[in-house]
Amino acid sequence: MDPVERLYLDALMEDPAVPAGSLRPQLLAGARARRRPAAPTAEWARPYAGRVAALDALLASAVDDDWSRVIVEGWTLQELVAHLAAKDGLLAASVGAPVLGPPMAARDAAGRTADVQAYERARSPEQTRRDWRAQADALCRHLDGLDPATPATVDGMESVVRDHILARCLETWVHTGDAARVAEIRLPDPVPEHIRPTADLCARLLPWTMLFSGLDGSGRTLRLTLTGAGGGEWLLPLGVADTGPGTPDAHVTADVVAFCFLLGGRGEPDGFPAELSGDLALARDVLTSAPALSGP
């Protein structure tokens, strides 16, 4: 299957446990008919554009009760979508893309989320969906032709815009999973070409998740093997100031999707399914600290 077509989420896979007589299949059929393709953007931003299209396809199946259900962080589906629009708007502001929604009063994630959620509560869920999609698409269009090494600062974190958009991809992917679980809908994974760069970001964040957790990985090296479509192998220095990897001190092998979701704050590090070898204490520290940078 052509990966570009695949990223448009050709199917919302129905859970086999859906009871007979459920209206869910008809709702999903209508959602497929209303799905919109990913916005055109730079090659390096396509993983994000694909996750936006996937979430939009899921939202097309939502009915009134779905929008008022609590999904995560005490937020309803409508408030969750507003949160994503807020975070996308912060990146848009940093790179000079259009910022939609209420005026930008707060520049931090929590403050901007509160402002956008308050604004969207006065609107219909479908308007919120359109507002979020319009913000995401405006960001995608702006990134087309932009140098991926362009510096950007979001919520106090400075990095190149390519890494920031991969972070937006991961958060959108994770929250789509949150919404799908509540709706009892199974979703296909992203195409491998989109999983790989997202996994690469997650791997490169490990020295920072350790540092943020109060663990010093300086001078230590991890061999990380991620299995499944889009996976691969990384030799990672675990100190943020390390100039390069050394001989591996520990080896962690895990499923690539599960690993990305662990970095995204989903899954219990203590019970995370992984094969560990070498310095087991170091390997466990890596997994325990992995979700440290995840937020709402």
Side-chain angles (χ1 to χ4, degrees):
M1 181 179 294
D2 179 66
V4 175
E5 290 300 319
R6 175 65 176 72
L7 69 84
Y8 294 164
L9 192 62
D10 286 323
L12 293 168
M13 299 193 297
E14 298 163 30
D15 192 314
V18 172
S22 170
L23 292 178
R24 181 63 65 182
Q26 292 93 314
L27 293 172
L28 294 180
R32 292 185 188 104
R34 296 193 302 274
R35 73 180 186 270
R36 290 181 287 171
T41 191
E43 178 72 28
W44 49 269
R46 287 185 182 176
Y48 165 73
R51 290 305 88 207
V52 168
L55 177 55
D56 198 36
L58 177 64
L59 296 177
S61 73
V63 296
D64 289 346
D65 287 347
D66 292 325
W67 286 104
S68 59
R69 278 196 195 120
V70 173
I71 305 297
V72 68
E73 300 291 333
W75 294 334
T76 65
L77 180 59
Q78 184 174 14
E79 291 167 334
L80 176 61
V81 173
H83 164 69
L84 290 172
K87 296 285 291 288
D88 291 342
L90 289 175
L91 179 54
S94 181
V95 296
V99 178
L100 309 180
M104 182 77 77
R107 294 273 175 168
D108 63 291
R112 182 61 180 169
T113 289
D115 290 346
V116 176
Q117 286 177 337
Y119 173 80
E120 293 296 345
R121 286 189 194 105
R123 300 162 68 79
S124 72
E126 185 56 32
Q127 286 175 315
T128 299
R129 175 193 170 201
R130 288 198 300 265
D131 289 350
W132 158 76
R133 183 65 196 259
Q135 177 65 83
D137 286 357
L139 178 57
C140 284
R141 287 191 294 270
H142 184 81
L143 295 178
D144 195 11
L146 193 69
D147 185 342
T150 300
T153 302
V154 177
D155 205 23
M157 297 185 67
E158 183 176 353
S159 186
V160 296
V161 66
R162 181 182 183 274
D163 283 353
H164 276 298
I165 204 65
L166 287 172
R168 300 304 313 128
C169 168
L170 178 62
E171 183 171 3
T172 305
W173 184 13
V174 167
H175 283 320
T176 301
D178 293 334
R181 278 191 296 276
V182 173
E184 298 183 335
I185 294 173
R186 293 187 303 121
L187 295 178
D189 292 329
V191 293
E193 295 89 337
H194 293 176
I195 293 177
R196 178 58 187 250
T198 309
D200 180 70
L201 173 70
C202 291
R204 290 185 288 109
L205 284 175
L206 291 177
W208 296 97
T209 61
M210 290 190 69
L211 183 66
F212 195 76
S213 300
L215 299 170
D216 185 4
S218 298
R220 314 301 298 281
T221 294
L222 174 74
R223 184 181 299 280
L224 176 67
T225 302
L226 299 178
T227 61
E233 188 165 276
W234 288 259
L235 197 60
L236 300 163
L238 293 176
V240 296
D242 289 350
T243 56
T247 302
D249 298 286
H251 188 184
V252 172
T253 301
D255 175 77
V256 63
V257 172
F259 177 76
C260 289
F261 271 62
L262 181 67
L263 269 287
R266 301 298 179 269
E268 294 296 330
D270 289 345
F272 184 71
E275 296 179 14
L276 312 181
S277 61
D279 186 333
L280 298 184
L282 176 63
R284 292 190 189 102
D285 282 345
V286 168
L287 293 178
T288 299
S289 62
L293 295 177
S294 66

